[in-house]
Amino acid sequence: MIKFKSLKLQLFCAFGGLSLIICIFFIRLSFLFADIIQENSAEAILFTEGLYVASNYRPNSPIPAPRFDYISLHSDLSQLPLKIQLQYDQNQKISRITEQSFDGLLLSQPLPDNTRVFLLLNRTPLEAGSHMSTVMPLFLFSVSIGVIVLTLLSSWYLATLISRPVQSLTNSVIEHRTTQTCEIQGKEREDEIGHLADAFSETFAQLQSALKREQDFTRDVSHELRTPITLIKNTLELSKETPLDKEGLLILEQASNELKQTVEVLLALAREKNLEFETLTILPIVEKTVLAIYRIYPHIGFQVNIAIPANMKVSGNHYLISLLCQNLVNNGFYHGYQGGMKISAEGNKLTFENELTEADDRPYYQGLGHGQYLVKRIATVMGWDLSIDQLDGTYRVTVITR
């Protein structure tokens, strides 16, 4: 089976083949109509002459002769050649007579005195049969060739016209596959080409989004996991010379917790489903985050003052908002301790504020900037703005939601 790699060639072959079949059908039909017209014309002439002979016949008078030389009159069937007699059909008023050198029609015409005569028409000398028999095939053949040529040219033009948008779409995809944006041509169309262009644009955008998440994930892993891994590695190296004391075990525990929390955030940012946003009530999420701290460290006192309206709603992803609040509350817990923490809201601003204090009976490994990068990344993904300030021993994070 022949395979054509070009859509243009496939369309041309399809249109051209279909058009040729239609042309051949109509050419054959035209020749058939021409034959039928000639046949009907000869029968009409023969009928007319039969009526002429019958209407002008008078009993006991000579039978009127036909007016055309190519029609012969016979008073008896026996006057005709035997081969013609054998082709005579009594059930038909007109019989078709065909011989090697003769093509004609035989009419049995009744006369007023109940006698019968036979009129034999020789179709060969007929103008419709002789002159037109050479002119009409030539005419039809010329017209057929012209129609076929026109059909092939039209098919090529239509194939080019139909395949051009596909070629333009292909070129547009090739031109933009190395860029960050893809302005694919044809999206304004309302046909299948437009739908294909929309599908390409949407797919390209999804691929670009997935690629960016992969790049961000790689960068975030390199940026955020290096410190806790290095700390764990160094602590274990030191333990080979000096057994780990309570402080060392605490450092390992906190580094492990940070590593787990960081991986959880990075995986959340890398998942596409976490980029689906909805309108949520923020207060239950904050309360759940604070209660989680109390469950983990029930022996450590930590006052949290929450002043958030119960009906305050934000647009974002529930899981990402939970991780953002978890990081900010953990920061306040690590650095606020006895000073506690205040979480308030005004308009679309959400503020996390705590005083920086020191104590020996709480986790202390995290630095002041712990989690800032991840918090900013979460806020950026959801389209939120975030600012971090440290003034007069107070650490304040302001989140502008949407």
Side-chain angles (χ1 to χ4, degrees), residues 247-258:
E247 180 180 349
L249 292 174
L250 189 59
I251 291 177
L252 282 179
E253 180 183 357
Q254 296 306 312
S256 300
N257 290 336
E258 181 191 354

Side-chain angles (χ1 to χ4, degrees), residues 17-247:
L18 178 61
S19 301
L20 283 177
I21 292 175
I22 296 175
C23 285
I24 293 173
F25 171 76
F26 277 101
I27 290 170
R28 182 69 186 96
L29 194 62
S30 299
F31 277 99
L32 182 60
F33 283 162
D35 291 339
I36 293 175
I37 291 173
Q38 289 183 2
E39 184 77 21
N40 291 339
S41 298
E43 290 182 359
I45 293 173
L46 191 57
F47 270 120
T48 302
E49 286 305 301
L51 293 175
Y52 169 77
V53 171
S55 62
N56 288 281
Y57 172 72
R58 299 292 181 267
N60 301 322
S61 299
I63 300 174
R67 293 170 292 182
F68 302 103
D69 296 336
Y70 48 82
I71 299 178
S72 59
L73 179 66
H74 305 274
S75 58
D76 191 83
L77 184 64
S78 60
Q79 297 176 358
L80 297 170
L82 180 59
K83 292 183 178 180
I84 295 179
Q85 296 179 31
L86 295 175
Q87 296 187 48
Y88 171 67
D89 187 358
Q90 295 181 357
N91 298 322
Q92 299 291 335
K93 192 169 184 179
I94 293 182
S95 301
R96 178 71 182 268
I97 307 300
T98 56
E99 293 294 337
Q100 293 182 355
S101 60
F102 182 82
D103 182 17
L105 299 173
L106 179 62
L107 170 65
S108 175
Q109 178 64 44
L111 297 178
D113 59 358
N114 294 327
T115 59
R116 186 176 295 273
V117 294
F118 297 92
L119 281 76
L120 182 62
L121 182 144
N122 185 3
R123 296 181 55 187
T124 304
L126 283 176
E127 182 180 2
S130 60
H131 177 66
M132 292 300 293
S133 63
T134 57
V135 175
M136 184 170 291
L138 180 61
F139 171 75
L140 291 177
F141 180 76
S142 301
V143 172
S144 301
I145 293 298
V147 170
I148 291 175
V149 172
L150 181 62
T151 297
L152 293 178
L153 292 176
S154 301
S155 299
W156 182 258
Y157 173 75
L158 288 175
T160 303
L161 187 66
I162 294 176
S163 62
R164 185 177 300 161
V166 179
Q167 185 62 42
S168 300
L169 180 61
T170 303
N171 294 335
S172 179
V173 172
I174 293 175
E175 291 175 0
H176 293 87
R177 63 185 177 185
T178 57
T179 61
Q180 296 297 322
T181 59
C182 186
E183 295 297 331
I184 295 180
Q185 299 179 5
K187 292 192 296 182
E188 69 282 354
R189 298 171 63 104
E190 297 182 357
D191 54 9
E192 288 78 2
I193 301 297
H195 298 161
L196 180 61
D198 286 336
F200 269 125
S201 297
E202 183 177 352
T203 303
F204 183 85
Q206 292 176 353
L207 290 175
Q208 288 292 335
S209 177
L211 180 60
K212 187 176 186 305
R213 290 198 306 272
E214 179 185 352
Q215 293 172 345
D216 292 341
F217 181 80
T218 303
R219 183 187 65 245
D220 294 342
V221 167
S222 176
H223 184 274
E224 291 296 313
L225 298 185
R226 183 177 300 158
T227 300
I229 291 176
T230 302
L231 183 61
I232 294 174
K233 181 179 178 180
N234 293 340
T235 304
L236 293 177
E237 286 292 333
L238 292 175
S239 67
K240 295 179 181 179
E241 301 178 358
T242 303
L244 289 178
D245 53 10
K246 181 179 179 180
E247 180 180 349

